[in-house]
Amino acid sequence: GLGLAIVDRTARLIGAQVTLRSVEGRGSVFGIRLPASTPAPRIRPKRDSRPGGARRHRILVVDDDPVILEASRAAATSAGHDVRSAESPEEALALAAWPEAVLVDYQLGTAMDGIALIAELRARNPGIKVALVTADTSPAMHRRAADATIPVLAKPLSFDRIAEFLAAPFPAPFPAPAV
């Protein structure tokens, strides 16, 4: 479904080109042509060197795709944040008290989707800052997220978008749900 569209959009964002070779009855081969570049020097940011005096945050990234988890972790870590990851709702809930902010994929490959997981995380950590990360553009999903006051960030998620999310004011704690 959405995989090739995400690859194409990501490739365009970084100036790459997606190629296709196909032989009927034999299969298809997709490739990605990356622009040539020289490696940038690895610089570890100082705590006080982030734009606008941004502070370090404890961030939990939840996604059932290990590649996306690693990319998200690398993006937030390179900005100086402390990051943990979870591949399932159960792993995320076990860490619920730790993070200040959470990026949660919508489709987690389980009966619990990202919106339901965020509700559980908020119940366990009322002051947590959350965002739903998805390539799903369906009105029904966006309506559910809006009804639950969950911001939606479109995949692929850029470094800049993560920084914008973290720079926005953190919410006041949500009231505990009525029992």
Side-chain angles (χ1 to χ4, degrees):
L2 295 171
L4 190 54
I6 292 171
V7 168
D8 183 57
R9 190 164 145 205
T10 303
R12 282 187 276 127
L13 285 171
I14 64 171
Q17 178 185 18
V18 177
T19 61
L20 164 67
R21 288 184 321 195
S22 184
V23 176
E24 190 173 336
R26 300 224 22 218
S28 301
V29 175
F30 292 89
I32 299 176
R33 294 188 111 136
L34 298 170
S37 68
T38 57
R42 293 181 56 98
I43 300 171
R44 191 160 199 126
K46 297 177 186 172
R47 283 189 186 201
D48 60 353
S49 68
R50 276 169 276 162
R55 69 180 192 83
R56 177 184 175 101
H57 293 288
R58 292 184 316 273
I59 303 169
L60 175 63
V61 180
V62 186
D63 199 302
D64 62 333
D65 183 333
V67 174
I68 291 175
L69 272 181
E70 179 56 27
S72 300
R73 188 199 62 73
T77 300
S78 71
H81 300 292
D82 189 5
V83 183
R84 293 188 186 169
S85 59
E87 288 188 42
S88 69
E90 295 77 20
E91 287 179 38
L93 292 171
L95 295 168
W98 178 79
E100 297 170 285
V102 185
L103 299 169
V104 180
D105 184 34
Y106 174 57
Q107 296 176 335
L108 296 171
T110 66
M112 179 181 275
D113 66 21
I115 294 172
L117 175 57
I118 287 171
E120 276 294 314
L121 289 167
R122 282 178 167 168
R124 296 178 186 204
N125 185 345
I128 200 168
K129 182 175 189 170
V130 298
L132 189 66
V133 181
T134 184
D136 187 333
T137 59
S138 71
M141 184 281 303
H142 280 273
R143 194 170 24 263
R144 281 184 61 213
D147 289 348
T149 65
I150 300 171
V152 177
L153 306 178
K155 283 185 177 179
L157 200 54
S158 69
F159 293 116
D160 291 340
R161 190 64 188 106
I162 292 172
E164 288 172 15
F165 164 70
L166 293 171
F170 275 59
F174 281 79
V179 179

